[in-house]
Amino acid sequence: MLTRICCGMQATLLVALAACGGGGDSGGNGNDGNNSAPCPAPTPIDADAVVQGSLANTDCSVARLFPSETGDNSLLDQYIVTLPADGELTIRMESAAFDAFLALFDDEVTPPPIAEDDDGGGGLDALIVIELDAGSYVIIANSATVTAVTGAYTLSTSFRPFVWTSTAIDGAPDMRTEHSAVWTGSDMIIWGGNDGNAIAKQSGAMYDVTGDSWIDTDSANAPRSRYGHTAVWTGEEMLVWGGFSGAFDFITLGTGAGYAPASNSWSVIADVDAPSPRTGHSSVWTGSELVVWGGFSCLACANAELGSGGRYDPALDRWSPVTIVGAPVPRGNHTAVWTGSQMIVWGGETDAGIGQLTLLNSGGVYDPATDSWTATNLLDAPPPTRCHSAIWTGTEMLVFGGQTDTNLGCDGSTTNTLTAYDPVTDSWSTRSVAPVASGFSGPKAVWTGAQMITWFDGVGARYDPVADLWRGVELSRAPSPRRSHTLVWTGSQAIVWGGQFAGTLEDGGIYTPEFDQTP
């Protein structure tokens, strides 16, 4: 519906079927009576642009663009703007020659307009500020009269892409925490977890970022319900292994399965020679094998820490043991990263068989080619910690945050310390303290190829290891505070999903660091 001024009074015009496109100053005569001639195509402009235009008698008219508006001879120009992402578009039209009027349509100029404005810019200027999805839109620059008036105008556009967008709720997995997530190269797969009351899940879904849509993973041959398990992506399938069965029987698991999204099907992982059942362990994918190490054989019991592991070859569906010679002391709630040739294990906790929890600041480097361990240097190592985050940058392991208070839950808080380990020189170096910490949540972190991004509780930060510089993360439109969630990197965006905060969650957010200008 377009609202205009006629003889000093406002008149409401219903916009009917659009005949065609139109645009620019290159159209036919808006007052030549030939209202059946098509208007020219809209003129492309950038999302951030300043256009010096004019309404002239050679321009298209409302009556030509919308045949039902036979009495509206006002002139117009059309522009098409393409938004690369979801965000906020501001359109301003100013003129000293006439009363400016703006209308915004989809790229097919389909009535009614998405938005319109007459004097919102102050005086006789027009202004539209609107949140839009990525895509193309047509701007109509017009006068607020039904008669043909001419004159110069300035049209400006500015676009602010959203740093955060929400993941779809429709079709998403039901609310859960302590689940797993992997990135396949095109989709995120969520699987397992619990409902917040220790009732384990046996379900999951694939999330298509581009289409903002979910597809359930198949349930046939899926591994039994669990949480506290690990999951890795092999390039073809997600391997799920280990974990805890939850409130029904309270046992740790030594089983798993592989999920192939191409066929939406599961295949059982062999249990012959598999590592003993465990949770709180670590897993890495070497490019050909899944390596599992450490963890707990049971929960809330003494002597539960494990110092063993196994290697699984999915091509042969076969396990082989990881040597215990020279291995780090048994532990759980530690981290492990894959360097491209070695697995680095660090930190975690043990009760040393005496029922008293002890945090660790030791680790080991495992070489699967030689099935051998080398201890990490203790000099300048981070303070003992558990439930921290560790990422591999391509040259060093960054250890961030973690739980240092044994009186709290493992994922109940995090420090803001950051330390880097160089396996070539077997040396540690302390880095700048992060601007974020939490008394509620453990840290989650991903590596983008150039920086580490961390998001937990309701805050985040970005770290550049070359400059040893921390920057913040935009909070506007960010997901609600949470812990025990997942964080994955897609190659250009980070996806936060699930977790808990005063209840279990089934939502998430997509963060685009390219758009973030936070210092």
Side-chain angles (χ1 to χ4, degrees), residues 272-367:
V272 176
D273 297 325
S276 58
R278 63 193 66 200
T279 189
H281 55 288
S282 60
S283 292
V284 300
W285 175 250
T286 70
S288 60
E289 291 182 318
L290 165 71
V291 181
V292 171
W293 192 83
F296 303 106
S297 61
C298 55
L299 294 183
C301 56
N303 297 303
E305 298 81 9
L306 298 169
S308 60
R311 297 157 54 178
Y312 174 70
D313 182 343
L316 301 176
D317 192 25
R318 185 174 66 190
W319 287 94
S320 58
V322 168
T323 184
I324 60 174
V325 176
V329 298
R331 67 192 65 200
N333 289 329
H334 54 285
T335 53
V337 301
W338 178 249
T339 70
S341 60
Q342 297 171 316
M343 176 180 71
I344 307 177
V345 167
W346 193 84
E349 64 183 83
T350 179
D351 71 2
I354 59 176
Q356 181 176 349
L357 186 64
T358 300
L359 304 185
L360 303 169
N361 71 337
S362 61
V365 180
Y366 176 70
D367 184 345

Side-chain angles (χ1 to χ4, degrees), residues 10-312:
Q10 285 192 339
T12 298
L13 305 179
L14 281 176
V15 178
L17 180 65
C20 52
D25 293 331
S26 59
N29 191 330
N31 297 306
D32 63 2
N34 183 15
N35 287 342
S36 63
C39 296
T43 301
I45 61 173
D46 292 336
D48 292 280
V50 176
V51 177
Q52 301 298 332
S54 65
L55 295 182
N57 286 325
T58 55
D59 283 339
C60 186
S61 67
V62 169
R64 283 175 58 194
L65 185 60
F66 303 107
S68 65
E69 305 301 327
T70 55
D72 192 338
N73 293 314
S74 62
L75 305 170
L76 62 86
D77 290 336
Q78 293 186 86
Y79 302 93
I80 187 166
V81 59
T82 299
L83 307 182
D86 298 352
E88 182 182 85
L89 179 65
T90 299
I91 313 166
R92 180 180 292 274
M93 184 180 179
E94 302 169 305
S95 177
F98 56 84
D99 187 358
F101 183 86
L102 283 171
L104 181 68
F105 290 82
D106 61 24
D107 59 354
E108 296 182 353
V109 198
T110 303
I114 299 169
E116 59 186 359
D117 183 71
D118 182 1
D119 298 328
L124 300 180
D125 297 334
L127 175 68
I128 292 175
V129 181
I130 186 170
E131 295 183 355
L132 297 168
D133 294 337
S136 295
Y137 299 89
V138 172
I139 301 167
I140 292 183
N142 188 214
S143 66
T145 63
V146 295
T147 57
V149 297
T150 61
Y153 65 84
T154 299
L155 179 78
S156 61
T157 58
S158 63
F159 178 63
R160 183 177 66 86
F162 294 143
V163 175
W164 286 96
T165 56
S166 299
T167 57
I169 296 295
D170 290 344
D174 56 356
M175 57 187 65
R176 64 191 64 202
T177 185
E178 296 184 82
H179 52 284
S180 61
V182 300
W183 178 250
T184 70
S186 59
D187 300 283
M188 175 180 71
I189 307 177
I190 297 291
W191 196 83
N194 73 78
D195 66 351
N197 294 303
I199 304 299
K201 304 282 187 179
Q202 194 187 20
S203 60
M206 292 185 291
Y207 177 65
D208 176 0
V209 180
T210 303
D212 190 28
S213 60
W214 294 90
I215 298 175
D216 289 342
T217 56
D218 190 34
S219 59
N221 297 318
R224 66 170 296 176
S225 304
R226 67 190 68 200
Y227 60 93
H229 55 283
T230 56
V232 301
W233 176 249
T234 71
E236 295 181 352
E237 61 181 346
M238 173 182 68
L239 300 180
V240 170
W241 195 85
F244 190 65
S245 66
F248 289 122
D249 49 17
F250 294 102
I251 62 171
T252 49
L253 303 169
T255 59
Y259 174 75
S263 59
N264 191 23
S265 62
W266 290 93
S267 57
V268 177
I269 290 177
D271 56 8
V272 176
D273 297 325
S276 58
R278 63 193 66 200
T279 189
H281 55 288
S282 60
S283 292
V284 300
W285 175 250
T286 70
S288 60
E289 291 182 318
L290 165 71
V291 181
V292 171
W293 192 83
F296 303 106
S297 61
C298 55
L299 294 183
C301 56
N303 297 303
E305 298 81 9
L306 298 169
S308 60
R311 297 157 54 178
Y312 174 70

Side-chain angles (χ1 to χ4, degrees), residues 463-485:
Y463 177 72
D464 178 350
V466 175
D468 188 25
L469 176 67
W470 284 95
R471 291 180 294 165
V473 164
E474 170 70 50
L475 298 181
S476 176
R477 302 175 65 92
S480 61
R482 63 195 61 209
R483 66 179 174 191
S484 300
H485 54 288

